[in-house]
Amino acid sequence: MQMNSLFPDLFDEGKAPEAPAAAQPAPEYDLTDLFERLSHSPFRSRFRLKPADIAYIREKGMDTIRQHAADFVRKRLAPAVIPNDGKQTPMRGHPVFIAQHATGCCCRGCFAKWHHIPAGRPLTPEEQRYAVAVLMKWIEQFT
């Protein structure tokens, strides 16, 4: 099975290096197809935020939740090799963890399956921004 990257232009060798992720504005992604496919998965579609999760989001604010999401993606999803891949994301304890399972951003295997971004190499800054955008889009439906 061939995996097509959502970001083919990132692999042009003549392309200038990217600015750091924090220096770039958050891009908009059309996630309609992704969320439609996720809605048909009995496992992915069962995830919901509990009232305590929603209260936590309101208390911290969406900017802080976005920072948490970026940090979790950078540390738990972006590395090429994750020692406990497939088991690194808890099923509860933070709204972003729930969003990761709901959107297939919980491990590199699920990320490859749902987002067609292959495992075995580090995620690019653009791919990390994409993952955060997916997570935040899912979380925003509850706030």
Side-chain angles (χ1 to χ4, degrees):
M1 178 170 91
Q2 181 179 352
M3 301 296 278
N4 294 323
S5 174
L6 293 174
F7 312 102
D9 59 322
L10 291 177
F11 302 104
D12 291 346
E13 290 186 18
K15 188 175 177 181
E18 283 191 345
Q24 295 184 354
E28 290 290 323
Y29 299 96
D30 182 359
L31 302 173
T32 307
D33 178 61
L34 170 67
F35 281 90
E36 175 65 23
R37 288 185 295 119
L38 289 166
S39 74
H40 294 289
S41 166
F43 178 74
R44 303 287 167 200
S45 63
R46 76 181 174 136
F47 289 96
R48 300 283 184 271
L49 292 180
K50 294 184 163 92
D53 297 318
I54 296 167
Y56 179 82
I57 293 167
R58 290 185 179 144
E59 175 190 333
K60 297 295 182 184
M62 291 300 273
D63 289 340
T64 298
I65 300 300
R66 182 178 304 281
Q67 289 172 353
H68 293 174
D71 190 49
F72 293 153
V73 165
R74 182 175 48 80
K75 291 178 180 174
R76 297 171 177 254
L77 189 65
V81 177
I82 302 166
N84 58 342
D85 196 30
K87 299 181 187 323
Q88 77 268 30
T89 305
M91 296 291 273
R92 60 180 177 264
H94 195 287
V96 173
F97 295 155
I98 309 305
Q100 285 181 275
H101 289 291
T103 61
C105 295
C106 46
C107 68
R108 290 304 290 270
C110 293
F111 201 60
K113 175 183 176 179
W114 288 98
H115 303 276
H116 311 291
I117 297 174
R121 64 164 177 80
L123 294 181
T124 66
E126 177 65 21
E127 290 165 339
Q128 291 180 53
R129 282 189 293 277
Y130 164 78
V132 171
V134 168
L135 296 169
M136 295 308 296
K137 175 82 171 176
W138 187 87
I139 288 170
E140 286 167 359
Q141 71 182 329
F142 294 95
T143 59

